[in-house]
Amino acid sequence: MKDKLPKERVGVFVCHCGRNIAATVDVKKVVEAISKHPSVVYATDYKYMCSEPGQALIKKAIKEHRLTSVVIAACTPSMHEETFRKVSNEAGLNWYKCEIANIREQCSWVHSDMEKATEKAIKITFSTVEKVIRNAPLEPIKMSVKRKCLIIGGGIAGIQAALDVADAGYDVILVEKLPTIGGRMAQLAETFPTLDCAQCILTPKMVAVARHPNIRLYTLSEVVKIEGFVGNFKVTIRKKPRYVDPEKCILCGDCEKVCPVSVPSEFDRNLKERKAIYIPFPQAVPASYVIDPQTCLGLNPIICGECAEACEANAINYDDSEEIFEEEVGAIIIATGYDIYPKENIGEYGYGKYIDVIDSLQYERLVSSTGPTGGEIRRPSDGKIPKSVAFIQCVGSRDVNHLEYCSKICCMYTAKHALMYKHLVPDGTAYVFYIDIRAAGKGYEEFIKRVQEEYGVVYIRGRVSRIYEENGKLILQASDTLTGEKLNLSVDLVVLAMGMIAKKGNRDVANIAKIPVDSWGFFKEVHPKLRPVETSTNGIFVCGACQGPKDISETVSQASATAAKAIELLSKVEIYHEPIVAEVNPELCSGCKICETVCPFGAIKVVDKIAQVNEILCEGCGSCTSACPTEAIQLRNVKDEQIYSMIEAILR
Amino acid sequence: MSNRDNENFEPKIVAFLCKWCAYSGADLAGVSRLEYPPNVIPILVPCSGKVDMQFILKAFKEGADGVFIGGCHTPNDCHYISGNYKALKRFTLMRKYLEQLGINSKRIRLEWISATEGVKFAKVMKEFVEEIKKLGPLQTR
């Protein structure tokens, strides 16, 4: 096999790494042994190869001995591969003509018998020489970048990311499924720990999105297909009809008055009714009414048509129809938000049976000044102001029967809920049932203390086992785990702090975008600490609660982080792709399509009975190469013949 | 071969380690200075799904007494989505195939070792070398 190779001139540089290698591996012996390899024309050792003089030594040797390849026998490639490839590249060698023989982490550091460790180091170095002489010089694959960013989800995460990317001068397409942007935050009354009115801080940002020259907003829209790859995605968007022209709608509300259909309002969590033509909330963006085609009678104007008659602006169009269109973008940010755990799943708390047992988001609407009661806290059953309220934390969360994880925000928002109750009903009593108080955040612990000490909210450590109704009161059976006492507490209203869950639609988005979700359906980041907003698909980023439970401040930080990542990508003139990709020998390829089916990235297509590799989609895993029955497809610089020669070198 | 000979026998083992998990786990064993027998020589591969059955046969043909394959944990750790499952399928088949060739299927081992499992890497290496020592040298001819 060797005589078929072009004459290679290999240099081997064995590092002592101080005593890290040299104490266990006889480096002189390694040099002596490797010098006998027919392709090795120069071998030496040095105390620290990565140091300035070490690097100079390598460069000098490459030039003096006209080396065509180098092997650095030193630490693991994840440590200094880049350093040494850069050094040899500066001396004129191709980036891929330098390989690292790992004789530290996987040799000197794990063995103590010098003779055996030296023998192993020689084998590792020999096998690396066998590989490098068969490495082809490669150049990175260059690609252009579409300077546009797609953002999926128009909650606070999507809004923040959109504004950041657009402010940097790039075009943004913001896609929201619902008729308005704003997401969950728009439903909230106030935010912890500063008690800012949620809408007051959110709606200016919503308006900024609507007005921004670089942002194109598609509401009532969904992404149905994502094709392509980093820098060059092709996305298909489906836009559902609104039946009201936002350009013409002047928000007079005449349509709403005449609409004969009333249904529970999703935005107000069913605490109030809306019409079939409605605006989710007054500050909605786009500022326009919308017809709900599920309940509207008038899409067939013979049956109703009242709103179109009432609309003086002529904004209503029953013939509006669905549109499907394509966009080309360079980066994608996913910010699809969260849902709360369904209360129906927790039967012991009587939700559905007792109308005065409400969930945390219903409570937000109940205390919101724009809510169904205009900011007065009145219980749903009889409209009376509750004189006592029990808040139950960890409903669904930290429970092996429901959600095993902590939803992270419930301790804080429950404290906020209790405080808001005390603001509205100063003489009322608020009880909070908790397991532990988790208030890790700036100003969070102080907030909890204030709620407990200044406002006198009664915190009871224990779980409620059952709730039932008696004479218009709700009775809570619980035990106080600090005193060991059994409690029977009678209150007017119960608020359940429901856990946060991933949206059902996350799995669909994951399939479309080809990114993984964890076992709970939250999107999975590449690394929880160091790459928290990147996904395993290059160019697709995630932020906010679709990635895991988190509060608004964390969501906004993450959204800005994804924007920075997207901007980093969009600002590049060209992007580079590792050239270690699969290539096909057409003479050997039988067109069997096995490679096409095993490729996890859809990078291979058989055209005219010959497999073709899309080099940009190929991630270089080599799945196809091990499945190919004729060895026609090979991974560049990890070819079968390279592995065989390495095996021979190890076992010789 | 007698047991006494087996005690002095130093097996030759080739380890195919995936770049993302097992190789990093082996590096961590090094950083943590966890000692294991020097009989195992690593070959870095991009993914456990890259390990061709031919590689294993080649290793046995060239005189290996055991072959180890290290990949990322199932279900979700594989950097290439499903390479670990491909390795697992091939491994199951390979074991049957080796038995048909008269090679004890214990001479190949597949393990999921994450980048944080240096301790596991060292432990598995010790176990595998012990196992191969018990089996004795492979007589391929």
Side-chain angles (χ1 to χ4, degrees):
Chain A
M1 210 182 276
K2 252 163 230 157
D3 44 2
K4 271 193 265 170
L5 291 167
K7 183 68 185 144
E8 281 279 344
R9 298 176 62 82
V10 183
V12 179
F13 302 86
V14 185
C15 181
H16 298 206
C17 194
R19 288 184 47 77
N20 281 299
I21 292 170
T24 334
V25 170
D26 186 337
V27 287
K28 298 281 179 205
K29 260 196 178 163
V30 177
V31 170
E32 194 188 311
I34 203 72
S35 301
K36 295 195 181 112
H37 189 288
S39 296
V40 174
V41 295
Y42 180 75
T44 190
D45 58 284
Y46 187 69
K47 216 162 179 56
Y48 291 104
M49 278 297 171
C50 61
S51 68
E52 271 303 316
Q55 294 188 16
L57 181 153
I58 296 168
K59 280 189 200 172
K60 192 165 162 254
I62 290 173
K63 285 177 186 156
E64 264 178 24
H65 299 273
R66 293 175 289 113
L67 302 178
T68 55
S69 300
V70 295
V71 167
I72 319 289
C75 51
T76 175
S78 62
M79 189 73 101
H80 277 313
E81 186 180 74
E82 206 176 327
T83 314
F84 291 121
R85 283 188 168 175
K86 216 170 151 218
V87 166
S88 44
N89 191 238
E90 281 164 7
L93 285 192
N94 180 274
W95 189 263
Y96 297 93
K97 292 299 276 178
C98 166
E99 288 280 353
I100 308 295
N102 179 355
I103 60 164
R104 191 179 77 171
E105 279 81 351
Q106 298 192 19
C107 188
S108 72
W109 273 355
V110 285
H111 308 309
S112 48
D113 182 324
M114 190 146 187
E115 195 186 324
K116 284 178 179 169
T118 306
E119 199 184 315
K120 178 172 171 179
I122 291 168
K123 286 180 176 177
I124 293 172
T125 313
F126 256 88
S127 69
T128 314
V129 170
E130 288 295 329
K131 178 177 191 300
V132 80
I133 56 176
R134 289 169 178 82
N135 271 4
L138 300 174
E139 292 302 328
I141 301 160
K142 288 179 189 169
M143 301 178 286
S144 63
V145 180
K146 296 269 179 316
R147 297 187 197 287
K148 201 185 271 184
C149 180
L150 168 75
I151 298 175
I152 308 174
I156 182 59
I159 289 172
Q160 184 64 45
L163 290 172
D164 287 353
V165 176
D167 281 345
Y170 298 100
D171 285 336
V172 171
I173 295 166
L174 180 58
V175 174
E176 166 61 49
K177 196 159 74 173
L178 298 178
T180 174
I181 56 169
R184 291 271 173 237
M185 189 177 169
Q187 290 180 296
L188 307 183
E190 291 172 5
T191 57
F192 62 78
T194 49
L195 300 181
D196 278 303
C197 146
Q199 289 211 350
C200 310
I201 55 176
L202 174 67
T203 51
K205 281 185 184 279
M206 291 165 61
V207 173
V209 165
R211 288 198 184 143
H212 206 294
N214 292 348
I215 300 178
R216 225 167 339 135
L217 173 62
Y218 295 116
T219 48
L220 291 164
S221 301
E222 281 179 278
V223 172
V224 290
K225 200 154 114 197
I226 297 174
E227 292 166 298
F229 41 84
V230 57
N232 297 275
F233 294 105
K234 195 157 83 181
V235 295
T236 309
I237 299 166
R238 180 166 60 209
K239 189 172 188 292
K240 286 179 230 151
R242 177 178 277 269
Y243 303 104
V244 178
D245 184 347
E247 301 293 317
K248 289 185 185 163
C249 178
I250 54 163
L251 303 177
C252 65
D254 289 346
C255 53
E256 199 175 12
K257 284 174 209 144
V258 296
C259 177
V261 182
S262 284
V263 287
S265 156
E266 299 87 354
F267 184 78
D268 281 315
R269 303 284 297 174
N270 301 345
L271 292 172
K272 194 183 168 184
E273 292 196 323
R274 65 157 172 86
K275 295 295 184 66
I277 185 162
Y278 69 106
I279 183 162
F281 55 100
Q283 302 90 335
V285 167
S288 165
Y289 275 77
V290 54
I291 289 179
D292 166 15
Q294 301 297 321
T295 51
C296 173
L297 308 169
L299 287 180
N300 177 356
I302 299 163
I303 299 174
C304 182
E306 295 276 350
C307 56
E309 256 172 61
C311 180
E312 286 181 12
N314 265 329
I316 295 166
N317 171 18
Y318 296 133
D319 298 326
D320 198 359
S321 60
E322 184 178 282
E323 284 173 64
I324 291 180
F325 52 94
E326 280 180 359
E327 287 279 359
E328 290 188 334
V329 298
I332 298 174
I333 295 174
I334 297 174
T336 49
Y338 70 98
D339 270 328
I340 59 172
Y341 192 64
K343 304 151 278 212
E344 294 78 3
N345 291 4
I346 302 177
E348 60 270 34
Y349 290 168
Y351 182 82
K353 206 150 115 197
Y354 310 127
I355 189 172
D356 291 327
V357 177
I358 60 172
D359 69 38
S360 38
L361 274 177
Q362 286 180 311
Y363 183 82
E364 293 282 350
R365 295 312 302 147
L366 211 54
V367 291
S368 168
S369 55
T370 61
T373 53
E376 279 189 6
I377 180 162
R378 294 186 176 276
R379 62 183 205 162
S381 61
D382 52 13
K384 281 188 188 149
I385 291 174
K387 287 291 161 203
S388 54
V389 181
F391 297 90
I392 306 176
Q393 291 193 178
C394 294
V395 183
S397 311
R398 303 180 69 198
D399 184 336
V400 284
N401 299 315
H402 300 282
L403 310 170
E404 280 173 37
Y405 56 86
C406 167
S407 293
K408 202 170 183 182
I409 61 168
C410 322
C411 288
M412 289 308 296
Y413 76 60
T414 298
K416 174 194 79 178
H417 284 171
L419 184 146
M420 290 175 79
Y421 171 70
K422 294 292 284 183
H423 275 168
L424 292 163
V425 189
D427 61 340
T429 314
Y431 303 95
V432 174
F433 287 91
Y434 70 98
I435 309 177
D436 298 293
I437 297 295
R438 296 183 167 178
K442 201 172 172 182
Y444 288 10
E445 178 67 21
E446 296 90 319
F447 183 78
I448 299 265
K449 278 270 167 308
R450 218 174 107 209
V451 170
Q452 290 173 337
E453 288 164 11
E454 268 179 53
Y455 288 85
V457 172
V458 185
Y459 270 73
I460 302 166
R461 189 176 188 277
R463 265 210 158 151
V464 175
S465 57
R466 192 179 152 222
I467 298 174
Y468 61 94
E469 206 174 40
E470 210 173 74
N471 306 326
K473 287 267 194 185
L474 292 163
I475 316 294
L476 277 65
Q477 283 186 350
S479 54
D480 183 331
T481 55
L482 292 181
T483 61
E485 271 177 89
K486 281 212 160 62
L487 292 175
N488 263 328
L489 197 67
S490 155
V491 295
D492 294 328
L493 183 71
V494 174
V495 182
L496 308 179
M498 306 305 305
M500 216 182 215
I501 56 169
K503 286 213 151 147
K504 266 194 197 141
N506 271 14
R507 287 184 197 272
D508 299 329
V509 177
N511 283 334
I512 291 168
K514 294 183 201 78
I515 57 170
V517 290
D518 66 16
S519 54
W520 297 105
F522 291 109
F523 292 117
K524 211 169 162 226
E525 65 291 326
V526 176
H527 191 278
K529 297 275 178 219
L530 300 176
R531 295 173 72 187
V533 298
E534 290 162 78
T535 69
S536 56
T537 302
N538 245 333
I540 302 187
F541 312 103
V542 286
C543 62
C546 65
Q547 183 261 348
K550 58 179 64 69
D551 65 19
I552 295 169
S553 21
E554 280 179 296
T555 296
V556 170
S557 315
Q558 244 193 4
S560 289
T562 53
K565 285 281 160 200
I567 293 164
E568 178 196 352
L569 175 59
L570 299 181
S571 63
K572 283 179 180 157
V573 181
E574 272 176 333
I575 46 176
Y576 301 98
H577 185 66
E578 179 88 3
I580 309 287
V581 293
E583 63 186 356
V584 181
N585 179 346
E587 296 197 353
L588 293 178
C589 179
S590 66
C592 71
K593 292 194 178 183
I594 290 176
C595 52
E596 193 179 308
T597 50
V598 298
C599 178
F601 305 101
I604 307 175
K605 286 272 172 302
V606 175
V607 182
D608 294 333
K609 293 192 178 165
I610 305 284
Q612 291 188 353
V613 179
N614 180 331
E615 294 190 344
I616 294 165
L617 287 183
C618 177
E619 288 285 318
C621 66
S623 284
C624 53
T625 66
S626 48
C628 178
T630 60
E631 299 188 358
I633 196 159
Q634 294 285 332
L635 192 60
R636 282 187 193 149
N637 289 355
V638 200
K639 293 184 175 180
D640 288 353
E641 57 166 58
Q642 288 181 290
I643 304 275
Y644 294 152
S645 60
M646 289 176 86
I647 295 171
E648 283 169 19
I650 285 170
L651 297 167
R652 87 205 154 90
Chain B
M1 183 173 275
S2 73
N3 280 338
R4 210 184 127 70
D5 285 340
N6 275 8
E7 274 165 33
N8 299 324
F9 157 59
E10 286 299 342
K12 292 177 177 175
I13 294 169
V14 179
F16 296 99
L17 306 178
C18 95
K19 169 173 151 184
W20 303 94
C21 297
Y23 195 89
S24 301
D27 276 351
L28 182 62
V31 173
S32 320
R33 309 295 200 278
L34 302 167
E35 202 170 334
Y36 56 86
N39 308 61
V40 188
I41 315 286
I43 292 182
L44 172 62
V45 286
C47 177
S48 57
K50 166 85 180 95
V51 180
D52 198 319
M53 285 165 70
Q54 299 285 354
F55 296 177
I56 301 167
L57 292 174
K58 171 80 178 172
F60 285 131
K61 185 174 158 251
E62 294 299 326
D65 302 297
V67 175
F68 178 82
I69 303 157
C72 307
H73 279 274
T74 53
N76 285 327
D77 280 11
C78 178
H79 186 80
Y80 304 110
I81 304 167
S82 54
N84 47 2
Y85 281 104
K86 289 173 185 134
L88 179 60
K89 268 184 167 173
R90 204 167 281 142
F91 177 75
T92 315
L93 189 62
M94 194 66 202
R95 278 167 54 128
K96 286 187 184 162
Y97 187 51
L98 286 183
E99 291 288 351
Q100 286 174 6
L101 290 175
I103 297 174
N104 192 323
S105 62
K106 284 180 183 164
R107 289 189 185 272
I108 55 172
R109 183 161 174 178
L110 172 72
E111 284 288 343
W112 309 139
I113 296 171
S114 82
T116 59
E117 292 175 328
V119 173
K120 181 173 179 185
F121 184 83
K123 179 174 159 272
V124 168
M125 287 307 116
K126 274 185 213 158
E127 281 173 13
F128 193 48
V129 171
E130 273 315 302
E131 180 79 53
I132 301 296
K133 276 191 178 175
K134 266 185 225 155
L135 293 173
L138 176 63
Q139 315 282 348
T140 44
R141 281 185 200 124

PDB file of all heavy atoms in Angstrom, chain A residues 443-459:
ATOM      1  N   GLY A 443     -32.574  40.295  44.318  1.00  0.00           N
ATOM      2  CA  GLY A 443     -33.705  40.929  44.997  1.00  0.00           C
ATOM      3  C   GLY A 443     -34.853  39.979  45.304  1.00  0.00           C
ATOM      4  O   GLY A 443     -35.902  40.401  45.800  1.00  0.00           O
ATOM      5  N   TYR A 444     -34.690  38.685  44.995  1.00  0.00           N
ATOM      6  CA  TYR A 444     -35.798  37.746  45.161  1.00  0.00           C
ATOM      7  C   TYR A 444     -36.029  37.375  46.637  1.00  0.00           C
ATOM      8  O   TYR A 444     -37.150  37.386  47.118  1.00  0.00           O
ATOM      9  CB  TYR A 444     -35.548  36.466  44.339  1.00  0.00           C
ATOM     10  CG  TYR A 444     -35.688  36.638  42.830  1.00  0.00           C
ATOM     11  CD1 TYR A 444     -35.821  37.892  42.244  1.00  0.00           C
ATOM     12  CD2 TYR A 444     -35.686  35.531  41.985  1.00  0.00           C
ATOM     13  CE1 TYR A 444     -35.935  38.043  40.864  1.00  0.00           C
ATOM     14  CE2 TYR A 444     -35.812  35.675  40.599  1.00  0.00           C
ATOM     15  CZ  TYR A 444     -35.933  36.925  40.055  1.00  0.00           C
ATOM     16  OH  TYR A 444     -36.044  37.060  38.708  1.00  0.00           O
ATOM     17  N   GLU A 445     -34.948  37.026  47.321  1.00  0.00           N
ATOM     18  CA  GLU A 445     -35.059  36.631  48.725  1.00  0.00           C
ATOM     19  C   GLU A 445     -35.645  37.785  49.555  1.00  0.00           C
ATOM     20  O   GLU A 445     -36.523  37.591  50.388  1.00  0.00           O
ATOM     21  CB  GLU A 445     -33.667  36.221  49.243  1.00  0.00           C
ATOM     22  CG  GLU A 445     -33.609  35.831  50.713  1.00  0.00           C
ATOM     23  CD  GLU A 445     -34.376  34.549  51.035  1.00  0.00           C
ATOM     24  OE1 GLU A 445     -34.631  33.737  50.109  1.00  0.00           O
ATOM     25  OE2 GLU A 445     -34.733  34.369  52.212  1.00  0.00           O
ATOM     26  N   GLU A 446     -35.162  38.998  49.242  1.00  0.00           N
ATOM     27  CA  GLU A 446     -35.643  40.179  49.953  1.00  0.00           C
ATOM     28  C   GLU A 446     -37.145  40.369  49.727  1.00  0.00           C
ATOM     29  O   GLU A 446     -37.887  40.779  50.619  1.00  0.00           O
ATOM     30  CB  GLU A 446     -34.901  41.443  49.469  1.00  0.00           C
ATOM     31  CG  GLU A 446     -33.404  41.447  49.758  1.00  0.00           C
ATOM     32  CD  GLU A 446     -32.580  40.829  48.644  1.00  0.00           C
ATOM     33  OE1 GLU A 446     -32.991  39.787  48.064  1.00  0.00           O
ATOM     34  OE2 GLU A 446     -31.501  41.367  48.332  1.00  0.00           O
ATOM     35  N   PHE A 447     -37.584  40.058  48.508  1.00  0.00           N
ATOM     36  CA  PHE A 447     -38.997  40.191  48.153  1.00  0.00           C
ATOM     37  C   PHE A 447     -39.853  39.238  48.995  1.00  0.00           C
ATOM     38  O   PHE A 447     -40.877  39.630  49.553  1.00  0.00           O
ATOM     39  CB  PHE A 447     -39.165  39.898  46.662  1.00  0.00           C
ATOM     40  CG  PHE A 447     -40.567  40.071  46.145  1.00  0.00           C
ATOM     41  CD1 PHE A 447     -41.076  41.340  45.887  1.00  0.00           C
ATOM     42  CD2 PHE A 447     -41.383  38.972  45.907  1.00  0.00           C
ATOM     43  CE1 PHE A 447     -42.362  41.513  45.407  1.00  0.00           C
ATOM     44  CE2 PHE A 447     -42.680  39.130  45.427  1.00  0.00           C
ATOM     45  CZ  PHE A 447     -43.172  40.407  45.179  1.00  0.00           C
ATOM     46  N   ILE A 448     -39.384  37.986  49.084  1.00  0.00           N
ATOM     47  CA  ILE A 448     -40.123  36.982  49.876  1.00  0.00           C
ATOM     48  C   ILE A 448     -40.212  37.439  51.340  1.00  0.00           C
ATOM     49  O   ILE A 448     -41.270  37.382  51.960  1.00  0.00           O
ATOM     50  CB  ILE A 448     -39.418  35.603  49.793  1.00  0.00           C
ATOM     51  CG1 ILE A 448     -39.381  35.100  48.351  1.00  0.00           C
ATOM     52  CG2 ILE A 448     -40.054  34.592  50.750  1.00  0.00           C
ATOM     53  CD1 ILE A 448     -40.470  34.168  47.919  1.00  0.00           C
ATOM     54  N   LYS A 449     -39.085  37.913  51.861  1.00  0.00           N
ATOM     55  CA  LYS A 449     -39.038  38.385  53.254  1.00  0.00           C
ATOM     56  C   LYS A 449     -40.054  39.504  53.467  1.00  0.00           C
ATOM     57  O   LYS A 449     -40.753  39.544  54.474  1.00  0.00           O
ATOM     58  CB  LYS A 449     -37.626  38.917  53.588  1.00  0.00           C
ATOM     59  CG  LYS A 449     -36.641  37.829  53.963  1.00  0.00           C
ATOM     60  CD  LYS A 449     -36.662  37.579  55.473  1.00  0.00           C
ATOM     61  CE  LYS A 449     -35.963  36.316  55.895  1.00  0.00           C
ATOM     62  NZ  LYS A 449     -36.354  35.079  55.222  1.00  0.00           N
ATOM     63  N   ARG A 450     -40.117  40.425  52.494  1.00  0.00           N
ATOM     64  CA  ARG A 450     -41.034  41.556  52.596  1.00  0.00           C
ATOM     65  C   ARG A 450     -42.486  41.071  52.630  1.00  0.00           C
ATOM     66  O   ARG A 450     -43.297  41.540  53.431  1.00  0.00           O
ATOM     67  CB  ARG A 450     -40.827  42.438  51.359  1.00  0.00           C
ATOM     68  CG  ARG A 450     -40.922  43.919  51.650  1.00  0.00           C
ATOM     69  CD  ARG A 450     -40.566  44.700  50.407  1.00  0.00           C
ATOM     70  NE  ARG A 450     -41.754  45.284  49.831  1.00  0.00           N
ATOM     71  CZ  ARG A 450     -41.913  45.544  48.528  1.00  0.00           C
ATOM     72  NH1 ARG A 450     -40.955  45.243  47.676  1.00  0.00           N
ATOM     73  NH2 ARG A 450     -43.005  46.113  48.092  1.00  0.00           N
ATOM     74  N   VAL A 451     -42.785  40.110  51.757  1.00  0.00           N
ATOM     75  CA  VAL A 451     -44.143  39.580  51.691  1.00  0.00           C
ATOM     76  C   VAL A 451     -44.509  38.926  53.029  1.00  0.00           C
ATOM     77  O   VAL A 451     -45.615  39.100  53.547  1.00  0.00           O
ATOM     78  CB  VAL A 451     -44.260  38.570  50.529  1.00  0.00           C
ATOM     79  CG1 VAL A 451     -45.573  37.811  50.585  1.00  0.00           C
ATOM     80  CG2 VAL A 451     -44.125  39.295  49.197  1.00  0.00           C
ATOM     81  N   GLN A 452     -43.533  38.214  53.597  1.00  0.00           N
ATOM     82  CA  GLN A 452     -43.810  37.522  54.860  1.00  0.00           C
ATOM     83  C   GLN A 452     -43.885  38.493  56.033  1.00  0.00           C
ATOM     84  O   GLN A 452     -44.797  38.432  56.845  1.00  0.00           O
ATOM     85  CB  GLN A 452     -42.722  36.475  55.140  1.00  0.00           C
ATOM     86  CG  GLN A 452     -42.791  35.286  54.196  1.00  0.00           C
ATOM     87  CD  GLN A 452     -41.620  34.338  54.365  1.00  0.00           C
ATOM     88  OE1 GLN A 452     -40.557  34.727  54.842  1.00  0.00           O
ATOM     89  NE2 GLN A 452     -41.814  33.095  53.971  1.00  0.00           N
ATOM     90  N   GLU A 453     -42.904  39.397  56.090  1.00  0.00           N
ATOM     91  CA  GLU A 453     -42.778  40.214  57.295  1.00  0.00           C
ATOM     92  C   GLU A 453     -43.607  41.492  57.236  1.00  0.00           C
ATOM     93  O   GLU A 453     -44.333  41.813  58.174  1.00  0.00           O
ATOM     94  CB  GLU A 453     -41.295  40.520  57.565  1.00  0.00           C
ATOM     95  CG  GLU A 453     -40.574  39.261  58.046  1.00  0.00           C
ATOM     96  CD  GLU A 453     -39.061  39.359  57.977  1.00  0.00           C
ATOM     97  OE1 GLU A 453     -38.547  40.467  57.757  1.00  0.00           O
ATOM     98  OE2 GLU A 453     -38.406  38.303  58.124  1.00  0.00           O
ATOM     99  N   GLU A 454     -43.533  42.234  56.113  1.00  0.00           N
ATOM    100  CA  GLU A 454     -44.267  43.497  56.039  1.00  0.00           C
ATOM    101  C   GLU A 454     -45.748  43.284  55.807  1.00  0.00           C
ATOM    102  O   GLU A 454     -46.590  44.016  56.320  1.00  0.00           O
ATOM    103  CB  GLU A 454     -43.726  44.350  54.886  1.00  0.00           C
ATOM    104  CG  GLU A 454     -42.629  45.314  55.294  1.00  0.00           C
ATOM    105  CD  GLU A 454     -42.152  46.082  54.091  1.00  0.00           C
ATOM    106  OE1 GLU A 454     -42.982  46.679  53.377  1.00  0.00           O
ATOM    107  OE2 GLU A 454     -40.917  46.059  53.844  1.00  0.00           O
ATOM    108  N   TYR A 455     -46.072  42.261  54.989  1.00  0.00           N
ATOM    109  CA  TYR A 455     -47.479  42.094  54.612  1.00  0.00           C
ATOM    110  C   TYR A 455     -48.174  40.993  55.411  1.00  0.00           C
ATOM    111  O   TYR A 455     -49.362  40.783  55.262  1.00  0.00           O
ATOM    112  CB  TYR A 455     -47.581  41.820  53.104  1.00  0.00           C
ATOM    113  CG  TYR A 455     -47.278  43.062  52.293  1.00  0.00           C
ATOM    114  CD1 TYR A 455     -45.973  43.409  51.977  1.00  0.00           C
ATOM    115  CD2 TYR A 455     -48.302  43.909  51.888  1.00  0.00           C
ATOM    116  CE1 TYR A 455     -45.682  44.560  51.258  1.00  0.00           C
ATOM    117  CE2 TYR A 455     -48.029  45.066  51.171  1.00  0.00           C
ATOM    118  CZ  TYR A 455     -46.715  45.387  50.853  1.00  0.00           C
ATOM    119  OH  TYR A 455     -46.453  46.525  50.154  1.00  0.00           O
ATOM    120  N   GLY A 456     -47.405  40.289  56.205  1.00  0.00           N
ATOM    121  CA  GLY A 456     -48.000  39.301  57.095  1.00  0.00           C
ATOM    122  C   GLY A 456     -48.674  38.133  56.390  1.00  0.00           C
ATOM    123  O   GLY A 456     -49.666  37.582  56.867  1.00  0.00           O
ATOM    124  N   VAL A 457     -48.157  37.774  55.224  1.00  0.00           N
ATOM    125  CA  VAL A 457     -48.703  36.596  54.539  1.00  0.00           C
ATOM    126  C   VAL A 457     -48.274  35.354  55.324  1.00  0.00           C
ATOM    127  O   VAL A 457     -47.113  35.240  55.735  1.00  0.00           O
ATOM    128  CB  VAL A 457     -48.197  36.530  53.079  1.00  0.00           C
ATOM    129  CG1 VAL A 457     -48.588  35.221  52.426  1.00  0.00           C
ATOM    130  CG2 VAL A 457     -48.748  37.718  52.285  1.00  0.00           C
ATOM    131  N   VAL A 458     -49.226  34.449  55.547  1.00  0.00           N
ATOM    132  CA  VAL A 458     -48.955  33.276  56.377  1.00  0.00           C
ATOM    133  C   VAL A 458     -48.382  32.160  55.502  1.00  0.00           C
ATOM    134  O   VAL A 458     -49.069  31.645  54.613  1.00  0.00           O
ATOM    135  CB  VAL A 458     -50.243  32.783  57.088  1.00  0.00           C
ATOM    136  CG1 VAL A 458     -49.915  31.631  58.037  1.00  0.00           C
ATOM    137  CG2 VAL A 458     -50.912  33.941  57.822  1.00  0.00           C
ATOM    138  N   TYR A 459     -47.135  31.818  55.728  1.00  0.00           N
ATOM    139  CA  TYR A 459     -46.500  30.738  54.978  1.00  0.00           C
ATOM    140  C   TYR A 459     -46.594  29.450  55.779  1.00  0.00           C
ATOM    141  O   TYR A 459     -46.164  29.401  56.926  1.00  0.00           O
ATOM    142  CB  TYR A 459     -45.036  31.079  54.673  1.00  0.00           C
ATOM    143  CG  TYR A 459     -44.865  31.813  53.351  1.00  0.00           C
ATOM    144  CD1 TYR A 459     -45.262  33.147  53.221  1.00  0.00           C
ATOM    145  CD2 TYR A 459     -44.326  31.168  52.238  1.00  0.00           C
ATOM    146  CE1 TYR A 459     -45.128  33.816  52.007  1.00  0.00           C
ATOM    147  CE2 TYR A 459     -44.180  31.832  51.026  1.00  0.00           C
ATOM    148  CZ  TYR A 459     -44.591  33.155  50.906  1.00  0.00           C
ATOM    149  OH  TYR A 459     -44.455  33.791  49.706  1.00  0.00           O
TER     150      TYR A 459
END
